[in-house]
Amino acid sequence: MTRPTPIRRTAIAVLAVAGLTLSACGSDTSSDEGASSPSEGSSESSGSTEEASGTQLYFVDGNTADYSEDFDPGTLDGVKATYPGSELNDDFRDRLLGVDPQLKDFTYGAESYDATVIAALAATAAGADSGKAIGSELQNVTTEGEVCTEIQQCFDLLADGTDIDYDGVSGPIDLNSTGSPSAATIGIFEYGSDNTYAPVEYITGEIPDVDNVAAGQEISGNIPSGDGTLTVGTLLPQSGDLAFLGPPEIAGVDLAVEEINAAGGVNGNDVESVSADSGDGTPLIAPSETDKLLRGGADVIVGAASSSVSLSVIDRITGAGVAQISPANTSTEFDTYDDAGLYFRTAPSDVLQGQVMASTLIADGKQNIAILARQDSYGEALAENVRDFYEQAGGTVVSYQTYSPEAPNFNAEVQSLASEDPDAIVLIAFDETKKIVPELIRAGVGQNS
């Protein structure tokens, strides 16, 4: 079966006035090799959404998944989606599969790998493994030094007293003053008739730094040296609606620990790891699981995947003087959060994905849209960014609905947006996508006709 041919868009520049610089990249071949997010199943595209009639459906990262076993064939044919992450090479995919041969996709595996690597590099640069020591060096090892891309190469440069700029598997990283990437890549994907998705193109953008760093966002006080052993804790989803994200994220951390130790470890000692289940927030198990990691001596915690879950434990982690690096949080709430200077992430904020989605809608000729988003820090922040950038570009949002993820059905929200007859619907959801899409179809929207 054929996959959508990667294309190069120039319409992205329409939103450059918002302060982001975007560039598109693609290839002349129709292959998914190296994609960080799509499933391994093949997709058959029905053509571009510009040629389709009816109300077109768009997904973002939280509900971009393999639905081959959930919907009838053709249900999602032509649906477009955005997902953070750059195109992965075969070598890294094979290395992840060496850790977990059962992986079905590689979602956030690269970001998890890079989160672990930069923690080790920061601890090496600091000559200490405490959370504060790591936090004090994370920005330094990802910006302005000599570029390095391999663990051993980076360690050798640090040993020679050279400042480094680690460019990771997930992208350049370049952490800004509040611990978020200042440059990142968003992939645009399209679903085929088998309800799996494949890459169309990748958009690289720069994200402006915050204007001011609050006192509560800076490391203060004494910086302990630690116990001599860097211990990485993982707070990643092993249960709940986001459990599908767990395997590639956990594999990314495990691969990094394995390769760091093969390169000599950190400050002369092997890195150790402890793991816990973040769940998805329903029920909220993350606080008790975080306590388990803290009792296990974690110096840095990689996770959580969900922005809402991270917000439920960030005070627990940073208050204990432990660094937190999420491979998947995108909420803009973290940009201004009083985190004692100890919260970081390797995934870009919703500012970038919001612009890429808005630009995609404009490029596809969508003049009025509806937004349906889950009611939490992730869904609302991303929905607001999509709306703001889309309206800046001249589009009209005719319906803006948020819903409780625990609701028994979503009829009221679906009927409300369907009554506006939008050109497109942007659905920002998690596993509830499986319930919402059939309701959209019954209402006569959300599927090409």
Side-chain angles (χ1 to χ4, degrees):
M1 294 184 181
T2 60
R3 289 185 178 274
T5 301
I7 59 175
R8 185 180 300 272
R9 293 193 190 278
T10 57
I12 296 301
V14 73
L15 297 184
V17 294
L20 302 181
T21 303
L22 299 177
S23 60
C25 58
S27 66
D28 294 327
T29 60
S30 55
S31 170
D32 73 331
E33 290 187 2
S36 61
S37 303
S39 66
E40 293 303 292
S42 62
S43 301
E44 184 173 352
S45 173
S46 62
S48 67
T49 53
E50 291 91 336
E51 299 171 354
S53 60
T55 301
Q56 179 63 29
L57 185 59
Y58 291 74
F59 291 165
V60 292
D61 61 343
N63 58 321
T64 304
D66 179 342
Y67 293 106
S68 57
E69 298 180 0
D70 301 297
F71 298 129
D72 292 335
T75 298
L76 300 181
D77 200 2
V79 170
K80 283 190 176 178
T82 56
Y83 214 118
S86 59
E87 192 170 12
L88 298 184
N89 59 48
D90 288 340
D91 174 68
F92 183 72
R93 290 155 59 109
D94 289 343
R95 283 151 58 199
L96 282 180
L97 288 169
V99 172
D100 184 354
Q102 304 303 314
L103 287 180
K104 294 182 179 180
D105 62 52
F106 306 93
T107 307
Y108 291 124
E111 288 80 1
S112 301
Y113 175 90
D114 285 341
T116 310
V117 170
I118 62 175
L121 296 176
T124 300
D129 55 84
S130 72
K132 283 189 173 182
I134 293 167
S136 68
E137 291 289 342
L138 276 170
Q139 185 182 29
N140 295 335
V141 299
T142 61
T143 58
E144 297 183 351
E146 184 171 336
V147 172
C148 58
T149 58
E150 303 292 337
I151 293 171
Q152 187 66 66
Q153 175 193 17
C154 296
F155 278 161
D156 289 345
L157 289 170
L158 288 172
D160 289 339
T162 303
D163 292 336
I164 65 169
D165 175 2
Y166 174 70
D167 283 359
V169 183
S170 64
I173 303 177
D174 292 341
L175 295 179
N176 66 16
S177 58
T178 58
S180 295
S182 57
T185 299
I186 304 291
I188 299 176
F189 302 87
E190 186 171 334
Y191 280 83
S193 59
D194 60 356
N195 301 322
T196 67
Y197 61 115
V200 176
E201 64 177 327
Y202 291 88
I203 304 294
T204 298
E206 297 177 1
I207 307 169
D209 205 348
V210 298
D211 293 331
N212 297 296
V213 179
Q217 294 178 282
E218 297 178 333
I219 294 175
S220 61
N222 294 329
I223 298 181
S225 60
D227 61 5
T229 298
L230 174 61
T231 300
V232 178
T234 57
L235 185 66
L236 297 168
Q238 301 173 32
S239 63
D241 288 347
L242 295 181
F244 72 95
L245 291 177
E249 292 175 335
I250 293 168
V253 174
D254 290 346
L255 175 63
V257 169
E258 178 183 303
E259 293 184 348
I260 291 164
N261 288 341
V266 172
N267 299 325
N269 292 313
D270 278 354
V271 175
E272 297 184 356
S273 62
V274 289
S275 65
D277 181 9
S278 67
D280 63 3
T282 310
L284 186 59
I285 64 172
S288 61
E289 292 288 290
T290 297
D291 289 343
K292 182 172 77 172
L293 296 178
L294 297 176
R295 289 194 300 270
D299 301 299
V300 58
I301 291 176
V302 177
S306 161
S307 293
S308 296
V309 172
S310 280
L311 287 168
S312 74
V313 296
I314 186 172
D315 292 340
R316 237 181 184 87
I317 297 171
T318 61
V322 171
Q324 179 179 2
I325 312 175
S326 172
N329 290 166
T330 60
S331 174
T332 53
E333 192 166 346
F334 295 104
D335 292 332
T336 56
Y337 196 91
D338 284 351
D339 55 15
L342 291 173
Y343 173 87
F344 305 84
R345 54 181 163 185
T346 49
S349 81
D350 289 326
V351 171
L352 182 57
Q353 188 174 190
Q355 184 180 16
V356 171
M357 174 55 76
S359 299
T360 302
L361 292 160
I362 293 295
D364 287 350
K366 306 306 179 184
Q367 299 180 0
N368 61 84
I369 67 167
I371 297 174
L372 182 58
R374 60 186 282 130
Q375 204 171 59
D376 63 11
S377 58
Y378 160 74
E380 292 171 322
L382 184 48
E384 289 169 4
N385 275 281
V386 172
R387 178 186 61 190
D388 292 348
F389 284 118
Y390 181 71
E391 289 179 341
Q392 287 178 36
T396 301
V397 177
V398 295
S399 180
Y400 183 92
Q401 303 281 331
T402 60
Y403 64 86
S404 169
E406 287 79 39
N409 63 70
F410 310 95
N411 287 330
E413 293 85 358
V414 167
Q415 291 300 325
S416 177
L417 64 84
S419 68
E420 299 293 341
D421 192 25
D423 295 337
I425 297 168
V426 179
L427 178 59
I428 302 172
F430 286 160
D431 197 57
E432 61 270 16
T433 297
K434 297 171 187 175
K435 298 179 181 178
I436 294 174
V437 167
E439 292 190 21
L440 289 170
I441 294 172
R442 284 194 293 272
V445 294
Q447 187 180 43
N448 293 340
S449 57

